[in-house]
Amino acid sequence: MQTASYSHPIFCFSCRNFSINAKTSLVKFRAPYPSQLDWKCEFNRRPHIYNSPLPIKPNRLFALPNTGDNHPSASIIDDEINTNNAPNGVSPTFLSNWSPPRYLWRGLSVLILAGQVIMKTLKGKIHWRNTLQQLERVGPKSVGVCLLTSAFVGMAFTIQFVREFTRLGLNRSVGGVLALAFSRELSPVVTAIVVAGRIGSAFAAELGTMQVSEQIDTLRVLGSDPVDYLVTPRVIASCIALPLLTLLCFTLGMASSALLADGVYGVSINIILDSAQRALRSWDIISAMIKSQVFGAIISIVSCAWGVTTLGGAKGVGESTTSAVVISLVGIFIADFALSCCFFQGAGDQLKNCI
């Protein structure tokens, strides 16, 4: 008894009593257990005999010992080797083997993910339990490091210019400059940088680990949408928590700067607060809140997109985490420039009120 195995570009089968008619180019075989065969064949549980009009090609026959029934087995292999992974008879096109660079399809994934999050939010498909958990993680658990960073940044900024202002006799302008600098630039940017390093890296690492361990595929099998369950809560939590963190950082930064200016350079706290009140306008605080929301959206969407597109196991998770933080920081600086150009155009006159 011999077993013949025939390979075809569309299907593969193994059968017994295999015969070829050279005159009619017909292949005749008897299949006791019919499985994936040509679509023209009708099969059931009983053995059948099929005639298939297949062209006869030069093949090589290999005989191997069969340990099951102590009879040799024969295997027929085509001499033609398809090296371009294209079906026989189809010539490869110019871009058949081209794949887009990784940074390109990752950038497109950010845009697609942002659109999906917007659509899910507008339709009300929000997992509120996960949103509250992520909000606690982004907000209260990040307050300490944000406030500490803002306090020292404010004191360092105060040292750089208060000593120059006091020499020029512009003590009454110190509070206005501090308030404008903190509200427009320092507080939103510093808060976003801290959150990108702490929360953005965590988002990318978590989703990257879930991707390489096939947990995201498991969610799809169970009927849950990963965007609803994983991405949208993180984006909403970041957009809500960052404006509040920015407001707290602005308050503490102004307080630390006023204490340092009063204790070291002799500029009264009352003068600083009065100058800040004269220089600040409501639009300065509103613009800081808008910037913070945009920064939160950039951090969360980029980190989640880099996480769900992770490849390569543990090494890929590390690379995705590092790349997500870097891309988030670059996006923050670009968005800060664009928003500043939109919000603050032309010559300003707010410092005239505090001189």
Side-chain angles (χ1 to χ4, degrees):
M1 182 184 296
Q2 291 185 349
T3 301
S5 175
Y6 188 85
S7 298
H8 188 269
I10 306 301
F11 56 85
C12 298
F13 55 86
S14 179
C15 60
R16 299 178 183 274
N17 298 330
F18 186 87
S19 63
I20 300 175
N21 191 338
K23 295 182 179 180
T24 60
S25 297
L26 293 177
V27 178
K28 184 178 180 182
F29 54 91
R30 182 176 182 273
Y33 299 102
S35 57
Q36 297 175 349
L37 299 178
D38 188 61
W39 62 274
K40 295 181 180 179
C41 300
E42 297 179 357
F43 19 83
N44 51 29
R45 294 297 179 181
R46 297 176 300 174
H48 281 268
I49 297 178
Y50 304 101
N51 292 326
S52 177
L54 298 177
I56 301 175
K57 299 180 180 179
N59 296 321
R60 288 178 293 177
L61 181 65
F62 295 92
L64 298 175
N66 191 343
T67 58
D69 54 0
N70 296 326
H71 291 284
S73 62
S75 178
I76 302 176
I77 301 178
D78 288 344
D79 287 337
E80 296 181 0
I81 300 176
N82 193 354
T83 58
N84 55 11
N85 296 324
N88 291 338
V90 179
S91 60
T93 60
F94 177 70
L95 297 177
S96 60
N97 294 327
W98 180 83
S99 60
R102 192 176 184 185
Y103 66 86
L104 180 60
W105 60 264
R106 269 190 159 178
L108 293 176
S109 69
V110 171
L111 300 178
I112 295 173
L113 196 61
Q116 289 180 341
V117 169
I118 293 173
M119 294 301 297
K120 301 290 185 182
T121 305
L122 294 178
K123 292 180 179 180
K125 295 181 179 180
I126 302 172
H127 199 283
W128 291 108
R129 182 178 179 182
N130 284 357
T131 302
L132 293 177
Q133 292 177 353
Q134 298 301 325
L135 186 61
E136 179 186 4
R137 181 183 185 184
V138 179
K141 292 185 179 181
S142 302
V143 170
V145 63
C146 290
L147 294 181
L148 187 64
T149 304
S150 179
F152 281 97
V153 169
M155 289 188 290
F157 185 71
T158 303
I159 292 173
Q160 296 298 326
F161 80 93
V162 171
R163 57 193 299 267
E164 304 296 336
F165 274 46
T166 54
R167 289 182 182 180
L168 296 175
L170 300 175
N171 294 346
R172 293 187 175 275
S173 300
V174 171
V177 174
L178 284 174
L180 293 179
F182 272 101
S183 63
R184 293 181 178 181
E185 291 297 329
L186 289 181
S187 295
V189 174
V190 169
T191 305
I193 291 174
V194 173
V195 172
R198 186 183 183 277
I199 301 300
S201 59
F203 286 172
E206 285 181 357
L207 297 184
T209 304
M210 295 180 69
Q211 176 66 27
V212 299
S213 60
E214 299 180 354
Q215 297 182 37
I216 295 180
D217 297 333
T218 305
L219 286 176
R220 294 191 181 95
V221 172
L222 294 176
S224 299
D225 190 352
V227 178
D228 294 344
Y229 191 77
L230 299 174
V231 180
T232 304
R234 287 169 167 81
V235 175
I236 294 176
S238 299
C239 293
I240 294 175
L242 252 74
L244 301 178
L245 291 175
T246 300
L247 190 60
L248 294 176
C249 289
F250 169 74
T251 304
L252 186 61
M254 283 294 301
S256 61
S257 299
L259 291 175
L260 181 63
D262 186 23
V264 177
Y265 299 102
V267 182
S268 175
I269 295 180
N270 293 328
I271 295 176
I272 293 177
L273 295 180
D274 181 68
S275 176
Q277 184 180 3
R278 290 173 180 269
L280 273 181
R281 295 177 181 173
S282 59
W283 175 245
D284 297 322
I285 304 299
I286 294 174
S287 64
M289 300 296 103
I290 295 175
K291 281 187 176 182
S292 299
Q293 285 187 333
V294 174
F295 296 162
I298 291 174
I299 293 169
S300 56
I301 291 177
V302 169
S303 301
C304 293
W306 254 245
V308 298
T309 55
T310 301
L311 301 174
K315 182 180 179 181
V317 173
E319 292 176 353
S320 295
T321 303
T322 305
S323 179
V325 174
V326 172
I327 299 299
S328 298
L329 294 179
V330 173
I332 287 169
F333 296 139
I334 294 175
D336 180 54
F337 170 75
L339 293 175
S340 297
C341 291
C342 295
F343 294 157
F344 310 107
Q345 294 182 356
D349 57 351
Q350 292 180 236
L351 287 177
K352 292 181 180 180
N353 300 325
C354 57
I355 294 178

